[in-house]
Amino acid sequence: MTGLGPPLHCADEQFDLIYAFSVFTHLGVVQQRAWLVELRRILCPRGFLVLSTHGDVYRQELKPDQLTKYLAGEIVVTLSSKEGKNDCATYHPPRAFRSLVADTFDVIDFVPQGAQGNPVQDLWLCRRK
């Protein structure tokens, strides 16, 4: 069990693969950046990160001002006071996600709605820089 923010009690470069499904979809941008740095720390060189995000399929759930922000390529966080819980929802336009991870990971693949489940989410495959 871990708290809202890092660190994890793991050694540096301990894992070849980490997955985070429906995690970044409930965190604000500051926490996402902190977690990207932490996940990079515990991944082996050239290790992989697989994660999911809310993308274009969720645009209809956004209020007009949120949709404007999303369409402008900005990450939208709703109910940020509930960060880390399902009440908080974060929406990542693909361009914004690529920018978010650019310092820590290379995007290897992106599959819109590639995480099939409940809910459907976009799927990202990233490699540690």
Side-chain angles (χ1 to χ4, degrees), residues 22-89:
S22 205
V23 175
F24 281 56
T25 55
H26 303 288
L27 296 175
V29 175
V30 170
Q31 285 296 340
Q32 290 178 46
R33 285 190 178 115
W35 277 112
L36 288 168
V37 170
E38 177 67 357
L39 296 175
R40 184 188 182 285
R41 178 188 72 80
I42 64 174
L43 268 174
C44 294
R46 311 280 294 155
F48 291 98
L49 171 64
V50 179
L51 57 85
S52 65
T53 59
H54 290 142
D56 287 350
V57 72
Y58 290 96
R59 290 188 306 190
Q60 76 278 358
E61 294 185 16
L62 299 173
K63 295 176 183 173
D65 61 320
Q66 296 168 336
L67 181 58
T68 298
K69 185 176 177 181
Y70 182 91
L71 293 174
E74 298 178 46
I75 295 171
V76 175
V77 181
T78 64
L79 291 176
S80 59
S81 64
K82 304 277 186 166
E83 186 176 23
K85 297 181 173 44
N86 284 342
D87 296 330
C88 174

Side-chain angles (χ1 to χ4, degrees), residues 33 36-37 40 97-106 127-129:
R33 285 190 178 115
L36 288 168
V37 170
R40 184 188 182 285
F97 181 82
R98 288 176 186 278
S99 178
L100 178 70
V101 302
D103 291 339
T104 49
F105 292 92
D106 291 318
R127 182 181 287 140
R128 179 187 159 178
K129 284 189 171 181

Side-chain angles (χ1 to χ4, degrees), residues 8-30:
L8 294 171
H9 300 290
C10 300
D12 292 356
E13 301 179 352
Q14 184 173 352
F15 299 100
D16 293 316
L17 172 71
I18 296 173
Y19 66 91
F21 281 46
S22 205
V23 175
F24 281 56
T25 55
H26 303 288
L27 296 175
V29 175
V30 170

